[in-house]
Amino acid sequence: MSNAPLPRILLRLSGELAIKARATRRQFVARLLHNLRDALTREALRGEIERRHDRIFVTTPDGPAATKVLRRVFGLQSVSLAECGPAGTLDEIVEQGERRFRALVSGRRFAVRARHIGERGPHKFRARDIEVALGARLDQHARCVDLSNPEVTASIEIYEGQAYTFSETLAAEGGLPIGSGDRAVALVSGGFDSAVAAWQMQRRGVRLDYVLCNLGGALHRLGALRVIHELDRRWGYGARARLHIIPFDALGRELQKKSEPRHWQVILKRYMLRTAEAVARRCHARAVVTGDALGQVSSQTLANLQTISTATTLPILRPLVGENKEQIIARARHIGTASLSAAVDEYCALTPRRPATAAKPAAIAEQEA
């Protein structure tokens, strides 16, 4: 039987989960485990998931690919692809560490970081003893020890009689597991803002359905569908989102015929909110998500947002309200929707020369009638 270390991914819970009360944390972690299994299944990856106390382990032959996918599951703070071996004696740990890190430290500056997770167990050695002993063994292969700015960090965690060795701690997205924060509908256009706003709410654990008020026919529908598909494919693990496409081109034409141009944008946004509310009632969703950013366009002044918001009695969530455009586009690049959104034309910009920046509710109500 081979004594080769087992490949295993260490998953660390986001800080927000760790501070929850015990019963609440149990519910959130159960949801996280469901989402992790869904991520592996959807990506056709093999893996056995095990939760023990404050750690989640994934044993998989698809280590690098699985690590990349699991970093996108909300609710995790960090991920490490590790090898696992016995930690009965200090010599066992040092020999395992030397095998694991000898090639990595060759000709480079390095440091050793070790720690015990949970109870120390029957062995007498401390984490500091591991660092000194393994550091001395690796020093003969490396350029030098550098505790301040190492090129390679040889990390070891001792947990329940096992030694986990890894050289990288990769940041995950944090947040809360999708499905732990109820349901909302997101108004989407295919543009940068609405996709990023939806992603922000998913990271807060909210399960989403999407509503597209289609003003551009087949081209608009296809462009928005590509954006939402990519968002769901990369980040929607643990949920199955639905996209509701509502034809809005006829309403847009009527709007231009029968209302003042300076009020077009405000009235259009109010009808979009009403539409999202109707879908939300059918989906048992509790809120509407929009990509509004304060002051970005004339319909997003405080006065106009106030007038627009009265079109629905549901809460309106605006996660981008304080962001600027450069920040939003940078986030879109991170989540993988930027290039797709850049290809979607702006179909809902019924832009007059002098749009109202403080539309009066009475005037809007009169023109809507």
Side-chain angles (χ1 to χ4, degrees), residues 146-181:
D146 186 343
L147 300 181
S148 301
N149 187 32
E151 295 174 273
V152 176
T153 299
S155 297
I156 298 183
E157 290 187 1
I158 308 300
Y159 184 72
E160 295 186 341
Q162 298 289 306
Y164 296 89
T165 58
F166 54 94
S167 59
E168 288 185 305
T169 298
L170 303 171
E173 295 296 334
L176 303 173
I178 290 180
S180 63

Side-chain angles (χ1 to χ4, degrees), residues 270-287:
R270 283 170 59 85
Y271 273 104
M272 289 179 173
L273 278 180
R274 291 188 180 106
T275 302
E277 180 179 21
V279 174
R281 300 293 184 194
R282 294 177 60 182
C283 298
H284 306 290
R286 297 184 181 273

Side-chain angles (χ1 to χ4, degrees), residues 324-344:
N324 61 45
K325 197 66 176 185
E326 290 79 9
Q327 291 171 315
I328 294 169
I329 293 175
R331 180 67 74 182
R333 292 193 188 101
H334 171 70
I335 67 178
T337 59
S339 60
L340 297 171
S341 290
V344 179

Side-chain angles (χ1 to χ4, degrees), residues 16-330:
E16 290 187 84
L17 267 65
I19 63 174
K20 300 290 185 188
R22 181 176 298 178
T24 303
R25 183 168 67 246
R26 188 182 305 118
Q27 294 174 3
F28 278 58
V29 171
R31 187 70 210 184
L32 174 59
L33 293 172
H34 170 271
N35 296 355
L36 292 169
R37 294 187 189 98
D38 185 55
L40 294 177
T41 299
R42 287 171 68 168
E43 301 293 345
L45 297 170
R46 295 163 292 171
E48 188 174 314
I49 300 173
E50 181 183 6
R51 189 223 171 172
R52 298 208 300 271
H53 304 293
D54 59 348
R55 282 287 187 271
I56 297 175
F57 301 94
V58 180
T59 304
T60 172
D62 304 316
T67 301
K68 184 177 180 180
V69 168
L70 296 176
R71 291 176 69 189
R72 300 200 301 266
V73 178
F74 298 119
L76 297 176
Q77 192 70 27
S78 63
V79 174
S80 295
L81 179 59
E83 291 182 358
C84 176
T89 67
L90 182 59
D91 285 343
E92 280 184 323
I93 297 171
V94 171
E95 288 175 11
Q96 178 184 337
E98 184 180 18
R99 287 195 304 269
R100 177 74 167 82
F101 298 117
R102 180 170 51 201
L104 286 174
V105 304
S106 178
R108 305 171 79 182
R109 305 187 312 276
F110 81 99
V112 178
R113 305 281 188 240
R115 64 174 180 160
H116 292 277
I117 305 298
E119 298 294 330
R120 183 182 294 186
H123 47 257
K124 304 297 185 183
F125 52 85
R126 302 166 300 165
R128 175 64 177 164
D129 299 327
I130 299 172
E131 292 175 347
V132 171
L134 179 58
R137 188 76 65 89
L138 293 176
D139 193 30
Q140 51 191 315
H141 307 291
R143 178 182 171 189
C144 66
V145 174
D146 186 343
L147 300 181
S148 301
N149 187 32
E151 295 174 273
V152 176
T153 299
S155 297
I156 298 183
E157 290 187 1
I158 308 300
Y159 184 72
E160 295 186 341
Q162 298 289 306
Y164 296 89
T165 58
F166 54 94
S167 59
E168 288 185 305
T169 298
L170 303 171
E173 295 296 334
L176 303 173
I178 290 180
S180 63
D182 222 311
R183 183 185 292 274
V185 297
L187 272 168
V188 294
S189 64
F192 298 103
D193 301 353
S194 57
V196 174
W199 182 87
Q200 295 274 48
M201 297 314 303
Q202 286 179 313
R203 192 169 63 163
R204 301 309 305 158
V206 177
R207 185 184 305 172
L208 295 177
D209 280 345
Y210 301 97
V211 177
L212 170 65
C213 296
N214 184 11
L215 283 153
L219 285 177
H220 189 192
R221 181 173 65 247
L222 180 60
L225 183 60
R226 286 172 175 159
V227 173
I228 299 309
H229 177 266
E230 186 66 8
L231 184 65
D232 185 64
R233 184 186 70 82
R234 288 175 57 85
W235 301 98
Y237 302 123
R240 294 295 182 271
R242 291 172 291 184
L243 173 60
H244 305 262
I245 302 175
I246 315 297
F248 248 55
D249 47 354
L251 186 143
R253 291 192 297 269
E254 287 293 297
L255 180 66
Q256 293 177 75
K257 289 179 187 176
K258 299 180 179 179
S259 63
E260 294 180 22
R262 66 196 189 98
H263 290 147
W264 284 348
Q265 291 183 337
V266 172
I267 295 173
L268 183 65
K269 295 292 180 64
R270 283 170 59 85
Y271 273 104
M272 289 179 173
L273 278 180
R274 291 188 180 106
T275 302
E277 180 179 21
V279 174
R281 300 293 184 194
R282 294 177 60 182
C283 298
H284 306 290
R286 297 184 181 273
V288 177
V289 180
T290 77
D292 294 323
L294 188 61
Q296 189 177 114
V297 294
S298 62
S299 65
Q300 294 172 4
T301 64
L302 273 178
N304 280 347
L305 288 176
Q306 182 182 26
T307 299
I308 290 167
S309 297
T310 60
T312 176
T313 58
L314 285 179
I316 303 171
L317 307 179
R318 296 182 170 101
L320 307 185
V321 70
E323 303 289 327
N324 61 45
K325 197 66 176 185
E326 290 79 9
Q327 291 171 315
I328 294 169
I329 293 175

Side-chain angles (χ1 to χ4, degrees), residues 270 360-369:
R270 283 170 59 85
K360 298 286 190 285
I364 295 299
E366 179 183 349
Q367 295 200 27
E368 283 183 341

